[in-house]
Amino acid sequence: MVKPKIAPSMLSSDFANLASEAERMLHCGADWLHMDIMDGHFVPNLTIGAPVIESLRKHTSAYLDCHLMVSNPLDYIEPFGKAGASGFTFHVEASKDNWQELIQKIKSKGMRPGVALKPKTPIEEVYPLVENETPAEMVLVMTVEPGFGGQKFMPETMDKVRALRQKYPSLDIEVDGGLGPSTIDIAASAGANCIVAGSSVFGASEPAQVISLMRNSVEEAQKIN
Ligand code: DX5
Ligand code: ZN
């Protein structure tokens, strides 16, 4: 059985107090910290890069789940490895010709390779990466168009999660975008086990309750399926 991993998206945190926000989330029961890297080109927003990961790493030993919404992920591997990233998830739309090289390099820098796909990208596009001799070890199914926090969950993306879970029972499947108390059950019963949540966690008066509710939902869905 794949373990539930609840990953607050630090995009919704107070970036001016990143270290204390990270600590607060870990106290609230977070398993991973989800870091959204946007280059202003692959998506129309610009966030943080390796220097910020490096700074945060000095304050925490937590798993830093880095989601790279960038046009040229290859350029980021070395700096992110040095900065202390834990997971390095690149987009399949940005790696059509070089995903094998990317996966190899990510592993050689001591990070865990993952592949993400946008809502309109067919799930079949990630199968070769998961079935490769050196595979992508997590698939991130975007449940909103990447670029911004606080968007509405797209239930039509759940067909992709179901297809993946049926094919790969022990794969880490992450969902990202619009997850919270009202959408978690749909994603959990489709088979997602890694849950990214930004606005629903940071906007809550009791983030620990939201985190624990989402973990319970994944655990309950796993008992039924
Ligand atoms: C969107 C990012 C998400 C985002 C999620 O492009 O990849 O990680 O921060 O935020 P919420 O949970 O608010 O949709
Ligand atoms: Zn993300």
Side-chain angles (χ1 to χ4, degrees):
M1 197 71 87
V2 285
K3 281 199 181 136
K5 300 281 181 196
I6 312 300
S9 168
M10 301 310 287
L11 184 60
S12 292
S13 76
D14 175 5
F15 269 143
N17 290 295
L18 190 54
S20 63
E21 289 283 76
E23 202 186 314
R24 181 164 74 96
M25 286 302 123
L26 296 166
H27 270 291
C28 287
D31 299 283
W32 291 353
L33 300 175
H34 185 80
M35 309 302 296
D36 287 303
I37 317 306
M38 306 186 188
D39 67 353
H41 185 258
F42 183 76
V43 287
N45 195 6
L46 182 67
T47 57
I48 57 165
V52 175
I53 301 296
E54 191 181 342
S55 294
L56 179 59
R57 177 50 83 213
K58 293 186 181 125
H59 296 269
T60 181
S61 58
Y63 187 96
L64 299 179
D65 175 39
C66 298
H67 174 198
L68 285 99
M69 289 158 273
V70 302
S71 296
N72 197 353
L74 189 60
D75 293 346
Y76 294 72
I77 297 174
E78 171 116 25
F80 271 69
K82 278 199 184 130
S86 311
F88 186 108
T89 299
F90 59 87
H91 267 266
V92 71
E93 300 87 2
S95 60
K96 293 248 194 294
D97 308 318
N98 64 349
W99 59 263
Q100 277 170 313
E101 182 187 7
L102 287 171
I103 293 175
Q104 288 288 356
K105 286 216 164 121
I106 292 165
K107 282 190 78 103
S108 77
K109 298 293 170 195
M111 298 177 289
R112 188 162 182 254
V115 62
L117 71 172
K118 298 204 241 180
K120 292 190 191 80
T121 304
I123 194 61
E124 290 76 19
E125 292 197 16
V126 302
Y127 293 164
L129 285 73
V130 177
E131 289 168 19
N132 191 44
E133 202 178 308
T134 311
E137 296 173 23
M138 182 177 81
V139 175
L140 191 178
V141 176
M142 288 298 305
T143 45
V144 299
E145 287 297 338
F148 300 92
Q151 302 182 76
K152 199 169 166 284
F153 177 79
M154 298 167 71
E156 61 271 32
T157 58
M158 290 301 102
D159 287 345
K160 295 197 276 190
V161 174
R162 273 187 286 273
L164 271 181
R165 180 54 75 217
Q166 198 166 18
K167 220 165 146 60
Y168 311 111
S170 59
L171 178 70
D172 270 336
I173 303 176
E174 186 169 67
V175 283
D176 182 7
L179 272 307
S182 61
T183 49
I184 184 62
D185 289 343
I186 309 170
S189 59
N193 67 299
C194 302
I195 313 295
V196 177
S199 40
S200 70
V201 169
F202 284 94
S205 51
E206 301 279 356
Q209 280 179 10
V210 177
I211 290 172
S212 113
L213 180 152
M214 292 196 288
R215 185 189 310 288
N216 289 340
S217 174
V218 174
E219 283 169 356
E220 288 306 311
Q222 288 182 337
K223 280 183 204 156
I224 296 162
N225 293 335

